[in-house]
Amino acid sequence: MFKRSLLVLLGLFSLQATQAQLLKKLGKQLETATNKSSSTGTGTSTSIAGLTESDAGSAIKEALSKGVAAGIAKLNKKDGFFGSDIYKLLLPEDAVKIGNTLRAIGLGSQVDKAILQINRSAEKAVGYAAPIFVGAIKQMTLTDALNLVKGGNTSATDFFKSKTTDSLKTAFRPVIKKTLDSTSATRYYADIVNNYNKLPTTFNKVNPDLQDYVTTMAVNALFDQIAKEELAIRANPAARTTDLLKKVFGAK
């Protein structure tokens, strides 16, 4: 019994170490991206306490990067989605009627299994989001950097979201498909759709796009985490954990 408990504890420590290593690696990638943008910046002085566009652009990227890291750490774990009051995924809007109908005829357990595995797939998928988001952050230009620094509480996140959502979804979609298949979410979801479509009372056959739904919800959850991190950096000096963030956001 003691040996078994020891193995469990070792497994937990190993998992925590792996997550910490992943986040550390992400941080290095983001730091490299930020440093490159700084070295290629124009160095033009701005009206915010003598900051340069390069400072502003690098700080914006760093704030977004911290949000990505925080989001992945929070969502890429068991119950990161399923156990959350905010991010838990239910059935797609077009499939709500399916769930209600099957529950009414005693097939609620099938619906519950599908919902659980859909959330498990999202939890697993966001672990692969880092390089996708890092790539998008690297592509940001300095053009709007100053306005974003002076903007509203989540202006950088909103700008990033408006410019990259479609490309991020395109890159993320294959990852979602892979995780949906690996967690059997696709099979459980197909089961409830097929059972619903077989009912004599079903006249309009439905099969909502589960892959697109989970992709959209997972990307939105990460953007929400980025926004929260940006808000904290702007509002709370303690959240400015680097000299660059203190210099830029403390000068507003």
Side-chain angles (χ1 to χ4, degrees):
M1 184 69 177
F2 174 77
K3 184 177 180 181
R4 184 177 180 183
S5 299
L6 182 60
L7 288 173
V8 172
L9 286 172
L10 288 172
L12 289 173
F13 286 134
S14 176
L15 177 60
Q16 290 175 344
T18 300
Q19 289 179 335
Q21 289 171 357
L22 286 172
L23 289 175
K24 185 176 181 180
K25 183 178 180 181
L26 171 61
K28 287 182 178 179
Q29 289 177 326
L30 296 169
E31 183 179 358
T32 299
T34 297
N35 289 339
K36 283 183 178 179
S37 69
S38 296
S39 64
T40 57
T42 62
T44 303
S45 293
T46 70
S47 59
I48 304 181
L51 297 177
T52 64
E53 276 189 3
S54 180
D55 284 334
S58 296
I60 288 296
K61 290 185 178 184
E62 190 168 324
L64 293 172
S65 300
K66 281 172 60 64
V68 172
I72 291 174
K74 182 170 184 176
L75 300 170
N76 179 221
K77 60 184 180 182
K78 184 178 180 180
D79 291 336
F81 279 88
F82 188 73
S84 171
D85 293 335
I86 300 173
Y87 302 121
K88 182 178 180 179
L89 305 185
L90 301 176
L91 293 178
E93 185 177 352
D94 292 343
V96 171
K97 184 178 179 180
I98 296 176
N100 293 339
T101 300
L102 293 182
R103 289 187 190 282
I105 61 175
L107 296 178
S109 62
Q110 286 191 4
V111 179
D112 292 336
K113 286 179 182 178
I115 290 174
L116 174 62
Q117 295 310 319
I118 287 171
N119 281 273
R120 292 289 183 253
S121 71
E123 291 161 4
K124 186 175 181 181
V126 294
Y128 298 95
I132 298 171
F133 275 75
V134 168
I137 291 171
K138 285 181 180 180
Q139 297 304 313
M140 291 186 70
T141 67
L142 301 182
T143 305
D144 296 300
L146 182 57
N147 288 333
L148 292 176
V149 169
K150 295 189 296 182
N153 290 333
T154 60
S155 58
T157 303
D158 295 338
F159 176 82
F160 183 45
K161 185 175 183 179
S162 69
K163 295 292 185 180
T164 65
T165 295
D166 289 343
S167 59
L168 286 169
K169 284 183 179 180
T170 298
F172 208 29
R173 200 167 279 117
V175 175
I176 294 292
K177 183 182 186 306
K178 184 177 180 179
T179 58
L180 285 169
D181 292 342
S182 69
T183 60
S184 298
T186 305
R187 177 169 63 83
Y188 284 119
Y189 183 69
D191 286 345
I192 67 170
V193 170
N194 290 334
N195 282 330
Y196 175 79
N197 286 338
K198 289 177 183 177
L199 295 175
T201 55
T202 302
F203 299 104
N204 297 316
K205 311 300 182 184
V206 295
N207 188 17
D209 188 340
L210 183 62
Q211 184 180 334
D212 185 65
Y213 168 70
V214 177
T215 299
T216 297
M217 298 302 285
V219 169
N220 286 348
L222 283 169
F223 273 125
D224 189 58
Q225 286 296 303
I226 295 171
K228 289 178 179 177
E229 188 68 30
E230 180 186 356
L231 179 59
I233 289 171
R234 289 182 184 276
N236 181 9
R240 301 166 195 159
T241 54
T242 68
D243 290 339
L244 179 62
L245 292 177
K246 291 173 184 176
K247 176 182 179 182
V248 173
F249 290 100
K252 284 186 61 182

